[in-house]
């Protein structure tokens, strides 16, 4: 089969998925349809519908869009079959039933932002950084019955620099994933729908694999009993979204929330009580269970994101706060 004979249906929702869709379109891979989540209400009263990023891009390029509430809905399945896809590409989308992923002649492959089988789940970029990994990557694999367990087609490794946060790695992995998807499609074509694949295997050194479950608000609360390095990794693994946070008691006794977006580990321990936010020489520090971090960027509830310097300029005379 030639490239021009392909009929690709792309499935994805957020901006991360747009990277791959854009690469397909710009490199003239025939995308005959897009499947994405329904528009969601936004705003204070929820009376405005926000289309997914993938839908916005598809409409700008005159690609038909399907937005099923349920993937087994017969009306949707009829629309999908009418597109006559012979290959489906999935990036950052929901779990698909077999009636969907088994439909195309050449199958359905997923682009996942980790080196599978490590970090299966919804938030692989976050958890790799939170756990202090020094490398990550992207994987393409054919879908099967279980989440993120199918046969691996290709992988590409990327380093995680010591200070990198989610925003940094997100952009790099989005681009790497897009390019890997193109190479995967070329391999599918070259091997007439049966590219070389391999089973996901666990190394002898790993009894259990690190996972990447969905993040919730409580998941993102900082545990000050952790070491400074662990707290630093936690902060950058959640920056900028959804953001690592902690309860804060203001000088007037009122409760607030502090989100920390950027920090660094101090070589010396300042000896403050764990969970204390303190000022020294015009800099802002937080004491951990072992060690100290310097806070560089933060946001108080109801305030804008700001540097520690701007924060301290607005709180002159206060030398210490208590966090929980």
């Amino acid at each position: 089969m030639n490239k021009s004979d392909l009929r690709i249906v792309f499935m994805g929702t957020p901006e991360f998925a747009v990277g791959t869709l854009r690469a397909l379109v710009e490199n003239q891979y025939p995308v005959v349809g897009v499947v994405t989540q329904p528009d969601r209400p936004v705003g204070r009263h929820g009376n405005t519908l926000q289309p997914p990023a993938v839908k916005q891009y598809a409409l700008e390029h005159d690609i038909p869009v399907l937005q099923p509430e349920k993937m087994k809905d017969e009306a949707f399945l009829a629309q999908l079959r009418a597109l006559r896809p012979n290959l489906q590409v999935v990036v950052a989308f929901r779990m698909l039933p077999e009636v969907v992923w088994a439909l195309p002649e050449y199958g359905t492959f997923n682009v996942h932002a980790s080196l599978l089988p490590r970090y299966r789940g919804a938030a692989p970029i976050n958890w790799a950084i939170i756990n202090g990994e020094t490398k990550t990557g992207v994987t393409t694999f054919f879908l099967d019955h279980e989440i993120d367990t199918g046969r691996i087609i290709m992988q590409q490794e990327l380093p995680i620099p010591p200070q990198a946060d989610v925003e940094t790695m997100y952009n790099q992995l989005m681009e790497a994933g897009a390019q890997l998807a193109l190479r995967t499609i070329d391999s599918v074509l070259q091997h007439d729908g049966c590219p070389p694949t391999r089973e996901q295997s666990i190394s002898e050194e790993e009894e259990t694999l690190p996972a990447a479950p969905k993040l919730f608000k409580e998941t993102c609360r900082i545990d000050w009993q952790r070491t400074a390095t662990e707290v630093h990794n936690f902060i950058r693994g959640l920056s900028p979204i959804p953001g690592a946070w902690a309860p804060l008691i203001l000088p007037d006794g009122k409760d607030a929330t502090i989100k920390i977006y950027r920090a660094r580990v101090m070589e010396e321990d300042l000896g403050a009580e764990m969970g204390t936010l303190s000022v020294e020489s015009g800099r802002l520090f937080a004491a951990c269970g072992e060690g100290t971090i310097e806070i560089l960027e933060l946001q108080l509830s109801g305030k804008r994101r700001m540097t520690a310097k701007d924060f301290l300029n607005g709180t002159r005379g206060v030398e210490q706060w208590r966090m929980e």
Side-chain angles (χ1 to χ4, degrees):
M1 174 180 281
N2 297 317
K3 178 178 172 180
S4 59
D5 297 321
L6 280 173
R7 294 184 62 82
I8 298 172
V9 165
F10 181 85
M11 300 185 181
T13 298
E15 186 64 35
F16 188 86
V18 175
T20 299
L21 178 58
R22 182 186 298 114
L24 294 175
V25 171
E26 291 181 352
N27 288 277
Q28 288 78 54
Y29 288 82
V31 180
V32 297
V34 158
V35 180
T36 188
Q37 297 275 25
D39 297 359
R40 298 302 185 195
V42 295
R44 179 177 298 179
H45 303 292
N47 52 8
T48 301
L49 290 178
Q50 177 69 39
V54 161
K55 177 183 179 179
Q56 295 180 55
Y57 183 88
L59 293 180
E60 290 169 3
H61 292 81
D62 299 318
I63 302 172
V65 176
L66 304 180
Q67 294 179 275
E69 287 283 355
K70 297 180 179 180
M71 300 302 292
K72 292 184 178 180
D73 179 77
E74 284 300 329
F76 160 68
L77 293 174
Q79 292 175 310
L80 184 61
R81 294 188 189 101
L83 293 172
R84 295 183 292 111
N86 48 25
L87 179 67
Q88 291 178 152
V89 180
V90 180
V91 185
F93 198 51
R94 66 177 84 172
M95 185 176 180
L96 301 179
E98 183 175 2
V99 68
V100 173
W101 57 256
L103 175 63
E105 175 188 1
Y106 291 154
T108 300
F109 75 81
N110 187 286
V111 181
H112 187 76
S114 83
L115 296 173
L116 291 173
R118 296 171 63 85
Y119 296 103
R120 293 169 175 159
I125 305 175
N126 304 89
W127 285 105
I129 298 174
I130 288 171
N131 289 339
E133 301 284 2
T134 59
K135 67 178 181 180
T136 184
V138 285
T139 302
T140 54
F141 66 97
F142 281 118
L143 294 190
D144 63 12
H145 294 92
E146 303 296 329
I147 296 177
D148 299 337
T149 60
R151 294 186 65 85
I152 292 173
I153 310 168
M154 291 183 176
Q155 288 186 316
Q156 180 181 335
E157 186 176 302
L158 279 81
I160 303 177
Q163 295 294 329
D165 60 13
V166 170
E167 186 172 35
T168 302
M169 297 311 302
Y170 181 99
N171 292 329
Q172 292 183 26
L173 289 164
M174 179 170 63
E175 176 59 26
Q179 296 306 311
L180 193 67
L182 299 186
R183 297 202 300 274
T184 298
I185 294 173
D186 290 344
S187 181
V188 169
L189 288 172
Q190 180 183 351
H191 295 90
D192 197 26
C194 297
T197 62
R198 59 183 173 85
E199 294 280 357
Q200 295 190 31
S201 59
I202 302 174
S203 67
E204 294 181 1
E205 299 81 29
E206 289 186 306
E207 294 183 3
T208 59
L209 290 168
K214 186 177 180 180
L215 295 166
F216 298 94
K217 181 179 179 180
E218 279 305 310
T219 314
C220 303
R221 180 172 176 168
I222 300 170
D223 179 1
W224 296 109
Q225 297 183 66
R226 299 282 188 174
T227 67
T229 296
E230 290 172 332
V231 170
H232 175 241
N233 290 339
F234 190 76
I235 290 167
R236 63 193 185 97
L238 297 169
S239 179
I241 295 173
W245 67 276
L248 177 69
I249 301 173
L250 298 174
D252 61 6
K254 292 182 179 178
D255 294 333
T257 298
I258 182 173
K259 277 191 175 184
I260 304 175
Y261 294 99
R262 198 160 58 89
R264 64 183 171 201
V265 178
M266 300 302 296
E267 293 184 4
E268 69 277 13
D269 189 343
L270 301 183
E273 183 182 355
M274 182 183 67
T276 299
L277 192 65
S278 56
V279 182
E280 187 171 316
S281 302
R283 295 158 67 188
L284 189 62
F285 301 96
C288 305
E290 180 183 322
T292 303
I293 62 168
E294 180 181 3
I295 297 174
L296 304 174
E297 272 191 85
L298 69 150
Q299 183 178 15
L300 281 182
S301 47
K303 304 291 185 179
R304 62 176 177 83
R305 179 174 170 175
M306 66 186 80
T307 63
K309 180 180 178 180
D310 288 342
F311 170 77
L312 293 176
N313 285 338
T315 56
R316 292 185 185 277
V318 181
E319 297 297 324
Q320 199 170 80
W321 294 262
R322 180 68 192 167
M323 296 179 291
E324 297 180 354

